[in-house]
Amino acid sequence: MKAICFNFEIHQPFRLKRYRFFDIGKDHYYFDDFLNDDIVSRVAHNSYIPACETLLRMIEQSEGRFRCSIAVSGVALEQFEHYVPQFIELLRKLADTGAVEFVAQPFSYGLASLTDPEEFALQIADTCSILRSRFGVEPKVVRNTELIYDDDLAPQLVALGFKGILTEGAKHILGWKSPDYVYTAASAPKLKLLLRNSKLSDDIAFRFSDTSWSEFPLTADKYMDWIASTPAEEQIVNIFLNMETFGDLHPATTGIFHFLEALPRMAAERGIEFLTPSQAISKIKAVGELSVLHPISSADEARDTSLWLGNRLQNEAFEKLYSLAERIRECDNRAIKRDFQYLQSCDHFFYMNTKRPATFSPYETPFAAFTNYMNVLADFLMRVEEEFPSQVGNEELNSLLLTIRNQGAEIETLNKELASMRKSVEQYNIEHRKREEKAEAPARKTRTCKPRAAKTTEAAAPKKATAKKTTKKETGKAE
């Protein structure tokens, strides 16, 4: 039976306020709370809330046969808790249905996987922690920022305990192959790959309300016919969409919500089922391995990372930011750690791109975005250096950090050895006491018998005395 795997991605960055050169060293708060509140609240009420309410109705009306997954960034969840807490409750209701799987992704929706595996692992762990605490779920599948993936990432995800990853069905990687199968990672065969069907996803994401499109208008009936007409051996069609597609990119007046709500009924008529990512990788056998030597993503026609790291401005900002990562991981300043997470969001680098106009950018030009970000980064660097004084050079600092980590590892090893020695001593004392008790047992038995012997002697003594008296008396009589 053919199946559809829907994934809805939700992310909102902490946008920066206008930060001037003269603010460096004086103002340590970088974020535009008013703008963030305005955008997050508007998008939530226009898109996220009605879309999730639609998903709930689809699950109820299909009696749980409609299934999907949602990926939410940690920075988005933090803003929802501040500005639209009712949306958190709606996500919790979706989790409670058992028909919605929550997929892990980097907390900041950043690009750490491209340069710093340790930071990437921490970001994933932070998102899993917040999903666990808010919704009681334990993610087993990952969706990296903008579906970024390469062979280097797979072994790390397996080591972190994940079973699968959602990524892009890039044509230059697939060649003649179809994205509508389950694949395994060439560098870690235990990890399953679910590849986005870019055409069927973009038909909704970009073309749904395009009146110049030859297939306009797109109806649920027509859409399911397209999926049903794919080759029978192609078992899984992965539709990965930004949730803003529904209600924001395509307003409710276009009929986008009616289209979405009608999909389960049209699918049922054609014998098509819905699966979550975990169900897909467990039920459907992989057809082969897929190797991705260079990072791919869902961005642009190139399906690479050039939209965030394609020019000198972006690379300079990126390298400067992640040069601080090792220091920040060693510090205990919660405000610095928080700001470092917020500054990693890929949106900040997207606003600096010179390939195409940055959608929804709060800046007039990429250069304005770069200047503002670097001003913020200059102040942030000063704060980090307060934790690790600037007179300590990078080489000396790295050596110091390495020494600290080595000392920590050595202390841990010594503590384990000490615990082992204590256990051995305790065991020795127990065995020694047992041997002493065993050796003392005959002596105690002997000491217990001696009083009885003494008593017998004392009882026998009068008899001897009596015998002597009798002898004398008898002797007297004889005399």
Side-chain angles (χ1 to χ4, degrees), residues 27-175:
D27 182 2
H28 300 322
Y29 191 78
Y30 314 130
F31 309 102
D32 192 332
D33 291 338
F34 178 79
L35 181 62
N36 289 323
D37 185 357
D38 178 64
I39 292 176
V40 171
S41 298
R42 176 180 56 78
V43 175
H45 286 97
N46 289 344
S47 173
Y48 299 152
I49 292 175
C52 286
E53 288 174 342
T54 302
L55 294 179
L56 273 174
R57 287 196 301 273
M58 292 163 71
I59 293 168
E60 292 169 359
Q61 291 168 5
S62 67
E63 298 180 343
R65 288 187 294 276
F66 175 75
R67 294 175 174 271
C68 65
S69 64
I70 295 175
V72 193
S73 68
V75 290
L77 284 169
E78 285 195 357
Q79 292 185 83
F80 295 144
E81 289 179 338
H82 285 299
Y83 307 130
V84 277
Q86 64 270 35
F87 181 56
I88 297 290
E89 184 58 33
L90 191 53
L91 290 174
R92 189 176 292 111
K93 288 180 181 179
L94 284 169
D96 291 342
T97 65
V100 177
E101 177 179 2
F102 280 82
V103 173
Q105 65 180 358
F107 186 92
S108 67
Y109 205 69
L111 305 170
S113 63
L114 299 175
T115 187
D116 193 332
E118 187 175 351
E119 180 62 27
F120 174 75
L122 289 173
Q123 294 268 329
I124 292 292
D126 285 344
T127 301
C128 289
S129 176
I130 198 170
L131 290 176
R132 193 181 305 116
S133 63
R134 301 299 187 277
F135 311 124
V137 298
E138 192 66 50
K140 292 299 179 184
V141 177
V142 171
R143 172 176 172 148
N144 195 12
T145 302
E146 297 294 329
L147 300 178
I148 292 172
Y149 172 77
D150 65 5
D151 286 343
D152 292 338
L153 190 58
Q156 184 181 6
L157 292 176
V158 171
L160 292 173
F162 291 99
K163 306 296 183 183
I165 183 170
L166 313 182
T167 187
E168 178 64 31
K171 291 181 181 178
H172 68 279
I173 297 297
L174 286 170

Side-chain angles (χ1 to χ4, degrees), residues 333-385:
N333 190 315
R334 293 180 63 184
I336 286 179
K337 288 179 177 290
R338 177 204 64 199
D339 290 349
F340 182 57
Q341 285 187 324
Y342 295 173
L343 290 172
Q344 289 184 64
S345 294
C346 70
D347 309 73
H348 304 306
F349 302 97
F350 172 64
Y351 299 147
M352 303 176 199
N353 95 86
T354 50
K355 289 185 68 176
R356 63 179 177 82
T359 312
F360 307 120
S361 174
Y363 305 99
E364 295 82 7
T365 66
F367 306 100
F370 172 76
T371 301
N372 199 69
Y373 187 83
M374 294 305 285
N375 286 342
V376 168
L377 206 54
D379 183 82
F380 184 67
L381 176 60
M382 291 174 61
R383 292 167 59 200
V384 173
E385 287 182 341

Side-chain angles (χ1 to χ4, degrees), residues 116 119 318-331 336 340 343 377-382 384-385 388 394 397 401:
D116 193 332
E119 180 62 27
F318 181 78
E319 291 167 9
K320 178 69 73 174
L321 176 68
Y322 282 100
S323 69
L324 305 175
E326 196 167 9
R327 303 185 187 194
I328 292 168
R329 283 195 289 270
E330 298 297 334
C331 82
I336 286 179
F340 182 57
L343 290 172
L377 206 54
D379 183 82
F380 184 67
L381 176 60
M382 291 174 61
V384 173
E385 287 182 341
F388 296 99
N394 282 334
L397 177 62
L401 294 176

Side-chain angles (χ1 to χ4, degrees), residues 183-227:
Y183 294 89
T184 58
S187 56
K190 289 184 178 180
L191 189 77
K192 302 291 182 63
L193 309 181
L194 293 178
L195 310 180
R196 186 179 83 111
N197 185 309
S198 57
K199 180 192 179 303
L200 289 171
S201 296
D202 291 348
D203 283 342
I204 300 175
F206 299 117
R207 294 183 277 273
F208 182 83
S209 59
D210 182 2
T211 56
S212 64
W213 183 31
S214 60
E215 297 292 344
F216 181 86
L218 179 61
T219 63
D221 190 61
K222 182 191 296 185
Y223 192 73
M224 282 302 163
D225 278 342
W226 292 346
I227 293 176

Side-chain angles (χ1 to χ4, degrees), residues 268-288:
E269 291 177 1
R270 293 158 179 79
I272 299 173
E273 65 177 336
F274 294 90
L275 298 177
T276 64
S278 289
Q279 288 176 326
I281 62 179
S282 64
K283 286 186 175 183
I284 301 174
K285 186 177 180 180
V287 296

Side-chain angles (χ1 to χ4, degrees), residues 327 385 387-401:
R327 303 185 187 194
E385 287 182 341
E387 298 288 328
F388 296 99
S390 58
Q391 62 264 28
V392 179
N394 282 334
E395 290 184 7
E396 185 180 350
L397 177 62
N398 291 335
S399 175
L400 177 61
L401 294 176

